[in-house]
């Protein structure tokens, strides 16, 4: 709860923003978007703590996004098809992802794709080698961990992070 009192939310938006606390820190003027969404490693707990440290000690502005239930509007790591706020990637200098088997709608995946097309850096933590499990009819099916097309084999994990889960 301490993190909620030192961060800001925009209206009823279900994400956290930690403003950089050092005007001259190495992160001053830089924006990190941290994307949580896994039901196994508790990224919804870990990433706000990391964002707080990055903002407080180094001056980065950090936006933390969560898997959110469409029914209740609450953070729910078991929700695989909704991470609101991905438009924050439009101003990101770094995408930090800790997701697992997310099947996001194209309206959300478009921001991930646009960010990746910029060539800006990505950090993926352990479950992110299988970050996405998009449906075959999705415009962004190539990011799926089970994608077998010649153009982007084994999806985001293999093609962006350099490894995928084997067994």
């Amino acid at each position: 709860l301490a993190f909620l009192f030192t961060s800001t939310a925009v209206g009823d938006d279900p994400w956290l923003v930690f403003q950089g606390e050092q005007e001259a820190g190495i992160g001053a003027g830089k924006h990190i978007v941290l994307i949580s969404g896994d039901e196994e490693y508790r990224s919804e707990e870990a990433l706000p703590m990391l964002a707080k440290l990055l903002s407080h000690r180094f001056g980065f502005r950090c936006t933390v996004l969560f898997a959110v239930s469409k029914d209740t509007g609450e953070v729910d790591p078991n929700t695989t098809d909704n991470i609101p706020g991905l438009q924050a990637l439009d101003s990101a200098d770094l995408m930090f992802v800790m997701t697992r088997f997310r099947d996001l709608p194209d309206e959300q995946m478009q921001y991930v794709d646009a960010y990746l097309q910029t060539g800006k850096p990505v950090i993926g933590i352990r479950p992110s080698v299988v970050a996405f499990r998009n449906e075959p009819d999705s415009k962004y099916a190539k990011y799926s961990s089970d994608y077998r097309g010649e153009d982007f084999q084994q999806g985001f994990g293999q093609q962006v992070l350099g490894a995928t889960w084997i067994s």
Side-chain angles (χ1 to χ4, degrees), residues 85-150:
L86 285 164
Q87 64 272 18
L89 289 169
D90 289 346
S91 64
D93 296 295
L94 171 66
M95 180 172 85
F96 191 105
V97 61
M98 191 171 176
T99 63
R100 180 176 182 267
F101 297 140
R102 301 296 108 167
D103 179 17
L104 300 178
D106 287 354
E107 300 78 45
Q108 292 181 6
M109 281 300 296
Q110 71 180 340
Y111 297 106
V112 173
D113 179 65
Y115 179 85
L116 294 172
Q117 297 305 317
T118 69
K120 292 179 183 177
V122 176
I123 295 175
I125 297 297
R126 197 291 183 211
S128 295
V129 296
V130 290
F132 303 107
R133 187 56 64 90
N134 306 74
E135 294 294 325
D137 63 344
S138 166
K139 181 178 178 182
Y140 304 101
K142 73 178 189 177
Y143 292 116
S144 181
S145 59
D146 59 358
Y147 184 73
R148 298 295 180 251
E150 291 297 319

